[in-house]
Amino acid sequence: MTSRPGPGIQESLQHRGSGGSSRPQGRRPSVKPGNAPQHVPQDCIDPTLEDQRRAAGDTATKGRGAGNAKAKLGTLEAIDTSSNEAVRPLPKGRPPLFFSNVSSSTPDLSLQSPQGLAGGMAVNLPVPPRPGIARPGENLQQPRIYPGGTGVKDKVTAKGPVTEMPAPAVVFAGGRTADLFPWTGSQPEDTLSEALVKGGISNKPQIMNETNTARPSLWSNLKNKSGLSTLSTLFVAVLEKRQSCGRLSGPNSFKPPPRLTLRDSTRETWLHDLANPTVGIKRLSRTIPHGITGKPLLDQCLNKNIPLPRAVWLAKCVGINEMRSHQRKGQAGTLTWLRGWTSSVEQFLDSTVGTMGQHDWKPRITYALQLATSLYKDHLLEEEHFLDWVLKGLESCVPERLFLWLLIASLYGPDLAACRRRGKRLAESLLNHAEKIYEAEDEGKTSSLLQYLEKIILKLLTTSPTCMLLPRTWDRHWPVLRRLASRHPEANITNVVEGLDLRTRRLLHASQKPSSTAQDCSRGLLRLLDSTDLNKTVRSEQLALHCMDISPSARIIVAAALQWASSPYRDGCYRIYLVTRLIRKWSLLGVDTDDAILAYFHATERDAGSDQRNAFRIVAELIRSQTFSVGKYLQWLIATGSIGRSQDITLQTSWPLRLVTEIPLTGLPPQVRNLRSTLLRSTNYSTEQEEQTLDEAESVVRRTLPILFDDPNIEYERNEVNIPKLSPSIRFELAMILRKQVAANMQLVEHAPTKDPSVEEPAVVCTISAQEFHTVRTYLEGFGDYAILADIIGVVATSLDSHVLAAAADTLNYHRLAFRCIGAFEPLFAKVAMRYAAIRTVRFPERELLVSLSDLCRNVLAEGDLVQALAYDLGRHDQKNVAAACSPVSDTMADTFHNMAVDSEEEIDRILSSGTSMDHQIMTRVFGKIVVSLKEQVAKSIVPSGNHAAWFYRLRSFDESCFDGIVIDWTTSLLMKGQSRMMHAAIPPLVVSGCLTLWQFQDITRRAINKSRATSQEDSLRICMHGLDVLLPTDSLTPLCQPQEAYRYRLEQQNFCQGSDGRILQLLRDLFDSITDALSPSSQSSIKGLLSSERLRAVVKRHISLNGETLSSVFGIGTQSFSAASSTQLKTLLDSLLDPTNRLSQKSVADQVKIIVESASCLSLPFCQLQIRQLFAMSSVAADTSVDTVSGSLVEAIRSAIERDDSPWNELVAGLDTGLRTKIRENAERELLQASAFFSGPATSRSKTTGIDDEAFLRKHLTVINLTSSGTLTDLEAPIFATLVERLKGIADTLNNNQRRSGQIMSGPDSSLRSWLNALLRLTLIHGSMLLHKAPNQHQAAILWSLRLLFTHPVLDNHPVILEYIFDIAVFLSDSISDDVRNHLIKMNTAKPTDEPRCAFLFGTPSTFDGWLALAKPLAPTSSAQSTATAQQPVQQNNNAPGQQPPFYNQQLQSPGSAALQRSSSQQHQQQQMHAQNQNRMYPQYPQHPQQNKTLSHFQRMASNSNGNHSQLQQMQQMQQLQGLAQQRSAQSSPLQMQRQPGQPSQAGNTQAGRPGAARQDKPEIKTLPYALKRWEILPESGGNPAGNETAISLSLFGARRA
């Protein structure tokens, strides 16, 4: 700058205060059409760009300027600026804290120097801009918006005072002008000094010739002994000079601009002036309109398009006035206002974003985002609240506005990802939106929105991958990240995603010993077979292929199938035929099934729990289908020498010869049969006796079925074959004989009916009778040969007898599972249905056939046409019976009935057929007569006729409700009187006729039990046993009714007991409730017989295998709801199911637990779990056994199982209920923590480790703890936190004491510290799930601070895997802590002398935006000793080892929870001092040379250089001053000399009085404290130069800066 005033200055003085400005509005260079920039895409908004505004405003401005011929040109408009003129850069001489009008969020424009202009043209640049005014060509480019948000308004020309255009400047050769050059802020006249102000500037350079070198003058001072001290003193003086230049000692004189209530028109005028950059801030700052605050203020800025710097200035002015008015209400009022102001900004942004899609929405949203970003970067918002609002908006945004919210999140992305609390929410939101887009879009298409979203996610992955560590939702988000990595196959992205997956899996899963592959395959095969749906068609081909997919090994799949079929823990003969079909399929696929079968027998010959009978039966079925070769097997016996093992073939180890005795003989060649007889001669099995027994059994069968065998010489005899004594080979032969005879009873009929009534064709029809079919079916069911039974049903399905077809349908229904596994159910059902359709075309079918087919269709979910036809026929049958009962004399039937005696069955039929109605009395008498008839036949041991079922059905048709009441009363009387034989004779016909269901009978029984329980426990027990006897199915049919009725009744029993609702279990529960210690011996014997019966065990076994939880809940297993006698009987039942040999009940509790765990397998798992629960329940009430004893025995048994790895112990433990798992886990945790107690002892005991034993011990216990851990922990486990904290501290102390051998202590062969650390970390991770709701704040803080001690320990830097694992656990636990704990951890972390970025990410950082500012405060020493101690404190802290802790830290961590959360004011002051010391480490200070005469508090600005660029003369003067100061200081002793004086005693601080430096030690020491800059009071200078030239000037002249 020059001393002369510039052109136009005096005119600007005349117009000062008139609202105009001395400098008119600048013009934006015009853009030619050829060089017009491309338009921004419509779906993209960039809040940092302001150079994309419309050029219409410039055109309008130029048009208005050209059209106004009378307007005078401005003073500076005469300066020529071409269209290609570059925007002049900001002045470089501004101080660091100068605030210009340029928004911090806008990018810098490209800077060009005048020398870089094209063509070398002479360019006249304008004068510099005024402070607080926008640069030309920047803020004036913003489009104007009409008030109210109606759109963009054209720019207006500034109407300020103007002057005439000066004459063009003279251009000299070379394109340079006279006395005019671009202002850069670095010229000598730009730096004001006292000499420059008084004397002005001279263009004549001052030349100082230096004839001599400076070496003689300097070398004389440096060559002596004190030269180094002199040079050091010189440097110290330079630093002190720099420090003094940046120190402010004057008081704060800031006064906010005043506010005044104005009229609406005046306020609008003021706002329009504020939007006009040519109107000075000084004029506007005289009066701020009152009433503009909050969201209306921001709306005014948006609608009037106020430049961003001016909008921020207005917000600061309003805000500082509002906060000062709230100060009268206290600090809370100020905080409340700041929160409200932040909410206003959020509402402003939200409402502006809501206008998306409307007119001019892009510039409006761009301005709103720029304004909010400016306020945020100037720290004028409550940042925590604002960032949480951004995350909330991103989480809940709709897909239409996702792009905009992604843009907002990207603006604040670094701050959002700076800490774990917000970074986790950001990562989850981004991944959730990515998941939705991936699901909605096609695989090959990619939208711009998805690309932008993936770009943000990839940036977050590369910069802050720990934010993506999401263990709780990893199963959902892992596929998204995996797809993202596949779409962007860069190496770094793939490595980060795989690393995150590894870290997450390590947090979720425990480090346990993996089970072998063979065991996993076997368990998978068993689960597959259990899950096979037999209610649908069994696809054996697909099932066989699925099994081979699980394991390609032939031995594994065949052994698993045979184990499933032979297991005593599954029930049903259908398993035999399903496995047979699978082995056939595998054999066709080339699998060596013969070798696999023999290998299975070898493996199970010592296993007493496997039932080999089913396996032998499977081999027999394979022999029938010629899949297994008998001849090759006999050759194998001879070759292996298996014949001479033992002569007793009943032994389990003699399976090779026993298998020979259980194969079918039909179809074997004679030589094979002879070889078989030869091999069996060496055993106790006689083939001659076998042939004789076969002949005798065949003779009995012939006499039972003389007509079937068509032998007139045979007389009918009802003899029973002793089937259990027959060998399997004899049973097979008898079954083949019966099949042959049934097939021989076929007759060709020329006119057999078909489904079409008009068509009859010749067909073969079976002529067997219903009675013969019942006998044949009984024999085959006794033999267990359901494959032959299926063939016979296929033969009899051609019969035209409805009774035979009904019996065939019932047989299909009863054995539907076995027939489905054989593969014969669907064709047999189709045959029976077709024959029914053919019969109904020629005659009306009998009701028996209709009922049987209806029940079969209901159970197998048959097609609708057949069901509708059956329902139609049943309806017609009922209507036919009603029509037959309508007779003319039906009205007088009652009088006739009263006057006659009912004595014969014919009279019962006549009465039931001659009336239409019947009252309760008559119905009771008729029902009684039917019951009397039934009793007489039962008393005479005569099989009752089949009329009783029909009578009951016809009697019920008169009045169903009345009949049901009579039946309930009569059945209740039978139960109360204990007439079991009568119940077995009467209940089947009632059930078969549909007059009574078994569900109704159970309800009647339970009501009778409850009624009698109040009077006699014995009676209730007896009623319960009678009810179970009626409901439980039996293998043999009841002899008290007809075979067809008995068979249908057994079918109903099976359906009832196998129901998924488990109704039969409720009656069993009533049985156990009725058991007491005072029962009679006969009752106890009856109970024992019932519980040991096979039919009861089969029902219970089926329910346990299907759903053990249902049985456990009904029985109350694991609870104390039973008496001691009931618990004992229940334990007996469970023992018989788990161990049929009854060896379990004779053992002690510990041995029982061991046997249960050893016998646990994939098949017996639910039985073992019920046993464990019952043991815990019984031990809780037993006097000689405690719960701890059972849990300890179980943990010990599980340890042994872990070593053997031969049982699914993990599933056994995981299947227990929460209470039992908690007890087992507490036992294991207690032992582990007791074993690690040496970490809390003296330091000498911490090196005691046991090496390999520790590894095995920790692995066992950790596996148990991991499997028994659950999401809900009890409050009693809270003390474990204190123990864990002590152990983790002990490990940290061990690392401190062994820093020299850190490599050996963590990875040495004889050390187990690493294993113990992993174990304790695993415990911490398991219990971390309880931190959210259960653990108090003390425990949360203590756990996290203990982890902080470990992952910041320098010893662990050499072990990155362990270090990362510890940090991941801390991150996982930090997601559950409360805000109070987090704030407290931030304070504790701030007090630490080290700056750890991981801690800042984990806990968060305090709001310290002004770390470069400090408050310098002198401290007067109370004594010389205290001064010495204070001076030595920083040295002592710096001398601490990296892994050691300062003394104050040890005091804090003794109780990190309680004392830390209730910190006193002195401790907070200590934290502030430590924070100040941290700042001192960042910006070095030298307190050993304090400044003199510092009596006030000072604001100290670190690392500032406010002097700017000095001239050469000024630099020489300053160097002379510093040299003189250094010469003065050389006479004094430097601090370094004082510290290194030889022979100085250790307590020299007490004897400093007579030394030269003693006076310096008595002066107060300067302490620095953190100082927060008042951001709201930082306003641009509104006064400036009154002459109009408000060029930025340096404040170094004044030595002060307004805060």
Side-chain angles (χ1 to χ4, degrees), residues 235-286:
F235 290 153
V236 170
V238 171
L239 294 176
E240 289 183 349
K241 183 64 177 178
R242 178 185 177 185
Q243 188 182 56
S244 62
C245 291
R247 182 171 296 160
L248 304 179
S249 58
N252 185 9
S253 59
F254 173 78
K255 293 182 180 180
R259 289 191 299 178
L260 185 65
T261 303
L262 303 176
R263 292 177 297 178
D264 294 343
S265 58
T266 309
R267 182 174 60 185
E268 289 296 323
T269 303
W270 189 91
L271 290 174
H272 280 289
D273 292 342
L274 181 65
N276 187 0
T278 60
V279 178
I281 292 292
K282 178 181 179 181
R283 173 179 173 270
L284 298 174
S285 62
R286 295 174 182 174

Side-chain angles (χ1 to χ4, degrees), residues 252 320 324 1410 1413 1571-1579 1603:
N252 185 9
I320 190 61
R324 290 200 173 190
D1410 307 315
L1413 282 176
Y1571 176 72
L1573 196 63
K1574 298 180 180 179
R1575 296 286 177 174
W1576 289 91
E1577 299 181 3
I1578 301 178
L1579 297 175

Side-chain angles (χ1 to χ4, degrees), residues 187 340 372 601 1062 1126 1144 1297 1436 1447:
Q187 302 299 327
F601 284 122
S1126 301
L1144 191 62
N1297 298 331
Q1436 182 180 0

